[in-house]
Amino acid sequence: MTRNRTFSIDILRPDFWEESWRRIRAGSFLKASQENHPERWAAFYDRVGDIYADMMPDHWDLGLALAEYFFREEIVRPGDRVLDVGCGSGCLSLPLARGGAKVTALDKSAGMLAALTETAQNHSAAGIETRCLAWQNFPAVRNYDLAVAAFFPPALDPEGLMRLETFSRRYCALVLGAGGGTPPIHRRIWEEFLAPCLQPGRVHVVQTLGYLLAVDRRPNLKHLFRPYTFRQPLDKVVNFYREYLALFGLGGPGLAQEIETVLAPFSRNGQVEAEGAWDVCLIWWARPGEADGKAERS
């Protein structure tokens, strides 16, 4: 009984979650690659910036659904300032801007920001300022009504969560996988070329909620789930995964053919098709000093 009482107290301590996060990160094959070869990841995002959104199933629909939720719940209102950290090609920045928010799209990949700028111009989306900078070097000034990081691994630990708060005067938010939505093509590539299993996304959901509660935040959780159909030209998918596998040191003249062979169950008439579903969590909270999830607005 004493042991159970001790455990129940421990999970309310920030250091319990900090240690838990350290252990998870230490055993992560993907995290090790990101930390040991940052130059590979930087080059990858620059090279695939123009096709990255196409490789993420229903990427734009997901961004639109998230933006609609932000506006509906009044986490963001027209005219509010939003910092989109690790914005990528802009699946969230664009619908937020089109809804009337003033968005700063922050990413250290020039290729990603070039894709975002082109898409914004094609869709007449005003109100977006791009900043090509690592988020560690972005000024920690609370100028934003919302600081959000979508599918941005550097934000997924205690240090990252607290850094996100340094940008916001009202709300912070994370968008992350809930564990069951890994695209079937991506999962197949991992199974065939990369022996370690992908870490379930729900691990980060549990860690994030636990840590935020332990540091006296009041996190809100929204789960989004919707089926999709992925359909892209075979050559585009093969080129994307050649670049992706190069992150882990895989290459050679025969790699493209190997990828085609692995994708054969999904390929037909020069197209790659697969059925799947979003399985995404949105976690958002008011920064300290604000009201419970409904911060006062000046």
Side-chain angles (χ1 to χ4, degrees):
M1 187 64 70
T2 302
R3 181 180 178 182
N4 290 340
R5 274 201 222 100
T6 302
F7 180 77
S8 66
I9 294 171
D10 284 346
I11 64 173
L12 298 177
R13 293 162 50 105
D15 57 359
F16 172 90
W17 296 102
E18 290 164 1
E19 176 60 24
S20 176
W21 231 314
R22 277 193 292 271
R23 291 182 182 181
I24 289 170
R25 288 165 68 93
S28 171
F29 172 77
L30 189 60
K31 191 63 183 175
S33 171
Q34 292 165 342
E35 291 181 348
N36 295 334
H37 302 287
E39 73 291 344
R40 292 183 184 175
W41 285 86
F44 167 73
Y45 286 121
D46 279 341
R47 287 196 294 263
V48 304
D50 59 337
I51 63 170
Y52 186 82
D54 293 338
M55 294 298 103
M56 303 298 110
D58 275 2
H59 203 50
W60 300 111
D61 286 347
L62 175 57
L64 182 60
L66 289 164
E68 288 176 346
Y69 181 81
F70 281 130
F71 285 116
R72 185 170 64 249
E73 295 297 313
E74 297 188 336
I75 304 165
V76 176
R77 291 178 177 175
D80 279 355
R81 300 187 67 194
V82 176
L83 178 65
D84 185 2
V85 178
C87 62
S89 51
C91 81
L92 185 55
S93 290
L94 269 67
L96 286 172
R98 295 187 73 178
K102 299 174 183 177
V103 180
T104 297
L106 175 65
D107 203 293
K108 68 178 181 180
S109 169
M112 285 290 194
L113 291 178
L116 185 158
T117 299
E118 182 179 356
T119 305
Q121 291 172 345
N122 292 340
H123 291 83
S124 301
I128 300 179
E129 173 197 13
T130 60
R131 294 290 305 275
C132 190
L133 190 68
W135 84 311
Q136 297 92 332
N137 300 327
F138 192 74
V141 180
R142 290 184 170 132
N143 288 336
Y144 298 92
D145 299 290
L146 171 68
V148 57
F151 306 109
F152 185 61
L156 298 179
D157 63 22
E159 183 181 353
L161 295 174
M162 294 301 98
R163 177 147 185 81
L164 200 61
E165 286 192 354
T166 67
F167 305 128
S168 175
R169 59 190 176 192
R170 292 186 176 130
Y171 298 118
C172 296
L174 294 173
V175 182
L176 60 164
T182 302
I185 293 169
H186 196 64
R187 185 168 59 247
R188 184 67 178 268
I189 291 291
W190 264 77
E191 289 171 352
E192 293 295 328
F193 292 100
L194 303 167
C197 295
L198 278 167
Q199 195 173 72
R202 70 178 67 92
V203 169
H204 294 298
V205 175
V206 172
Q207 293 288 117
T208 300
L209 292 172
Y211 180 76
L212 288 172
L213 289 167
V215 294
D216 296 324
R217 305 303 188 266
R218 298 181 180 180
N220 303 274
L221 176 66
K222 172 68 176 176
H223 192 185
L224 293 91
F225 184 89
R226 198 182 88 176
Y228 62 73
T229 298
F230 174 83
R231 184 180 293 108
Q232 290 292 330
L234 175 61
D235 59 347
K236 181 190 287 189
V237 179
V238 170
N239 288 337
F240 176 83
Y241 279 109
R242 284 181 65 187
E243 297 288 356
Y244 184 77
L245 292 172
L247 290 168
F248 307 98
L250 300 178
L255 183 60
Q257 184 57 56
E258 291 180 50
I259 295 171
E260 282 196 36
T261 301
V262 171
L263 295 179
F266 305 100
S267 304
R268 183 177 180 182
N269 299 325
Q271 295 284 313
V272 176
E273 299 184 9
E275 304 292 326
W278 301 337
D279 191 7
V280 172
C281 281
L282 167 63
I283 299 173
W284 62 277
W285 68 99
R287 57 166 290 268
E290 302 295 348
D292 314 326
K294 292 291 180 185
E296 275 185 35
R297 297 175 183 268
S298 56

